[in-house]
Amino acid sequence: MDEVSLAVENLKKEWDQTVSQLKEKIQEIECCGKSGKGTEEANALPRLNGAAQDCLASLRAMQFRLDLLAQQLPTMEEVQSGEALVEVWKDQYQKLHTGLRNANLQAKANIKKAAQEERELLLGGGEESTIRRRNLQTKAGMTSAAESITESLRRTRQMMVQEVERSASTLATVDESTSVLKKAESEYKGHRSLLSRTRGLLSTMKRQDVIDRIILAVGFLIFLMAVLYVVSKRVGVLTLQRKIVAAIKSGSIPNKDAIGNAALNQGIAALNVNDEL
């Protein structure tokens, strides 16, 4: 099991524990005022509500953490399961929040009824009423001081919870940024090697292009030289033929042997030209 899956499992256990604590607080709030001590239980109600609100804040933080962790799970099935669990937790949170509100309404009704009974008892007179009034005043003072300290501690704890949530969010953002940077670095390395290979191929192609141009230029020059050579030979043979024909017509070469020799020389020259081609 990887770190993310282990963190999700630990978060599930923490969620179950916090839900159990919150249900206990809701039960205590709902029962508040039923024992007949309206004033004492009325003073204890803010403390119970503060503890319940702390549990709700913790549950909200867990939902946020699970939503972040669900996107980092290794497989798509686990991601979908994590997202489904987030929705289940949201529904459960709403039910607990509604239950807390209903419990407060019930507690207020119970406290109101208990306070009415205490008021009737105190206004009844007698020694019992006087002793009870003194006890209530002493307990009210002590309860008020305890509630003030408890409220201060609750606010401090709430601030610490908020700071922890903010730190967790910051760490999650940093982790996500780190993973993105690592991915970008790996992609950059891959592109850099690809660019290096492409640069080498381009250099090779440029060298091959230069070599091809040189070969084409040399071949073209050789071709031109061969054409010029062949043309010059052809021109020389044609000039010789014209001179022989002119000499025959003028009578300078009357015998047939000379004509035969000339024809033979012309044939030899033609064969030489063909051999050279």
Side-chain angles (χ1 to χ4, degrees), residues 50-259:
Q53 291 296 331
D54 290 341
C55 292
L56 288 176
S58 298
L59 293 179
R60 288 196 301 270
M62 292 178 196
Q63 290 181 29
F64 180 75
R65 288 164 58 190
L66 180 61
D67 194 12
L68 291 177
L69 292 173
Q71 306 300 324
Q72 303 177 19
L73 290 170
T75 62
M76 183 58 65
E77 290 78 7
E78 292 179 347
V79 171
Q80 294 176 355
S81 177
E83 292 175 351
L85 184 59
V86 171
E87 297 299 325
V88 172
W89 282 10
K90 287 181 180 179
D91 295 338
Q92 191 175 6
Y93 175 84
Q94 292 297 330
K95 292 179 181 179
L96 291 171
H97 191 272
T98 303
L100 178 61
R101 184 170 61 251
N102 295 333
N104 274 288
L105 293 175
Q106 183 66 38
K108 288 179 181 179
N110 295 336
I111 292 172
K112 184 177 181 181
K113 183 179 179 181
Q116 182 66 26
E117 293 176 355
E118 286 183 358
R119 190 179 300 109
E120 292 175 356
L121 181 60
L122 291 173
L123 294 176
E127 184 179 358
E128 183 180 356
S129 298
T130 303
I131 294 173
R132 185 173 181 82
R133 189 162 45 248
R134 290 176 180 174
N135 291 334
L136 287 175
Q137 290 177 352
T138 303
K139 291 180 179 179
M142 295 175 62
T143 305
S144 177
E147 289 296 329
S148 177
I149 296 173
T150 303
E151 182 66 19
S152 177
L153 292 173
R154 190 188 69 81
R155 287 196 300 267
T156 304
R157 184 179 182 277
Q158 185 67 25
M159 291 176 61
M160 293 177 65
V161 170
Q162 292 176 356
E163 290 296 328
V164 170
E165 292 177 0
R166 191 178 296 110
S167 300
S169 176
T170 304
L171 289 175
T173 304
V174 170
D175 291 339
E176 184 177 359
S177 301
T178 303
S179 62
V180 172
L181 289 175
K182 289 181 178 178
K183 184 178 180 181
E185 183 182 4
S186 62
E187 291 181 355
Y188 172 73
K189 289 180 179 179
H191 289 309
R192 185 172 60 183
S193 61
L194 180 60
L195 289 174
S196 299
R197 290 195 298 269
T198 305
R199 192 180 297 111
L201 290 175
L202 288 175
S203 300
T204 304
M205 292 176 66
K206 287 181 180 179
R207 289 194 299 269
Q208 189 64 36
D209 182 65
V210 172
I211 294 173
D212 291 341
R213 289 176 182 274
I214 293 173
I215 291 173
L216 288 175
V218 172
F220 185 70
L221 289 176
I222 294 174
F223 175 74
L224 287 179
M225 292 173 63
V227 170
L228 291 175
Y229 180 75
V230 172
V231 169
S232 65
K233 289 294 183 180
R234 290 290 185 182
V235 170
V237 171
L238 293 175
T239 303
L240 179 60
Q241 288 179 350
R242 290 194 188 97
K243 288 181 179 180
I244 293 173
V245 172
I248 293 172
K249 288 182 178 181
S250 63
S252 299
I253 306 176
N255 54 13
K256 295 181 180 180
D257 293 334
I259 295 173

Side-chain angles (χ1 to χ4, degrees), residues 10-27:
N10 293 333
L11 193 60
K12 289 179 182 179
K13 295 178 182 178
E14 186 178 356
W15 173 274
D16 293 336
Q17 293 176 359
T18 306
V19 168
S20 299
Q21 294 175 2
L22 180 57
K23 288 181 178 179
E24 291 177 0
K25 298 299 179 185
I26 292 174
Q27 186 67 28

